[in-house]
Amino acid sequence: MKVIAILNQKGGVGKTTLSINLARAIQLAGCKIVLIDADPQGSSRDWNSANGGSILPVLGLDRKTIEADIKNIQGYEYAIIDGAPQLREMAVAAIKAADIVLIPVQPSPLDIWATSDLIELIKERQAIADKPKAAFIVSRQIQNTQVGKDVRDVLSQSGLKVFDNGTFQRVAYSDSLATGSTALDITGKAKEEMELITNELWEFINVE
């Protein structure tokens, strides 16, 4: 089972939105996937309750034993970890469990600076285990502004990959999640964004 962790120790950057929508996209591609809610706040579990568990299997694993716990999960090709903010121990545990780490970052200096500790943790793990692969995804961009490109240029200096595609501020994301749905289940720009991110994720997964 390949494990993808969506991590950022800063809150409010769109981790849960990205986790749920990417999990749904991978499911729609015909893969067996489980979404793991590692945040004690339980937002992914709340979303799952809103749809009666009818879309994705969601498990709550919000303990620092997550690396060992994931190894006991059977029957899935992929797992996505919706990471917890501000909990360093949980971030370390998720990084150890992950094959791939995706870091959603809003286009602001404060958000970029807040990733420094996470980048250090990832690189420390890479030096020991030669994984996880890691990449930034710029989230909640404002339409028709230059800031998305500018932040990609800054993030690329970290040595980690920066996805060409990201999300923009759209009501469709919050509205769909509030009703227990996803952007992939409605028509519009949010769906198109998630499809582009997913395509780029497949390429990232398959590149050696």
Side-chain angles (χ1 to χ4, degrees), residues 82-104:
D82 178 10
Q86 300 177 343
L87 298 177
R88 194 176 193 274
E89 285 187 342
M90 284 299 298
V92 170
I95 289 167
K96 288 180 178 178
D99 299 291
I100 290 171
V101 173
L102 299 178
I103 310 166

Side-chain angles (χ1 to χ4, degrees), residues 29-50:
C31 300
K32 292 182 178 179
I33 184 164
V34 60
L35 177 59
I36 296 171
D37 190 345
D39 188 345
Q41 291 183 359
S43 297
S44 287
R45 280 168 279 182
D46 290 341
W47 169 83
N48 194 47
S49 295

Side-chain angles (χ1 to χ4, degrees), residues 39-79:
D39 188 345
Q41 291 183 359
S43 297
S44 287
R45 280 168 279 182
D46 290 341
W47 169 83
N48 194 47
S49 295
N51 62 53
S54 62
I55 297 180
L56 288 166
V58 179
L59 299 177
L61 295 177
D62 52 12
R63 300 173 297 180
K64 60 183 179 181
T65 57
I66 189 169
E67 180 186 11
D69 294 339
I70 284 178
K71 291 177 181 177
N72 294 322
I73 299 173
Q74 304 294 323
Y76 298 100
E77 299 167 84
Y78 291 90

Side-chain angles (χ1 to χ4, degrees), residues 105-112 137-156 162-164 166-169:
V105 181
Q106 293 186 109
S108 79
L110 290 176
D111 285 74
I112 294 170
I137 295 178
V138 182
S139 63
R140 296 181 172 177
Q141 301 166 82
I142 299 172
Q143 198 76 39
N144 301 319
T145 65
Q146 177 71 14
V147 69
K149 180 183 182 303
D150 292 343
V151 76
R152 284 180 173 84
D153 292 341
V154 174
L155 291 172
S156 65
V162 184
F163 273 28
D164 293 329
T167 64
F168 287 80
Q169 292 191 31

Side-chain angles (χ1 to χ4, degrees), residues 184-196:
L184 278 301
D185 298 295
I186 58 177
T187 301
K189 292 292 186 182
K191 179 180 180 179
E192 293 172 11
E193 287 170 8
M194 289 310 309
E195 288 174 341
L196 289 171

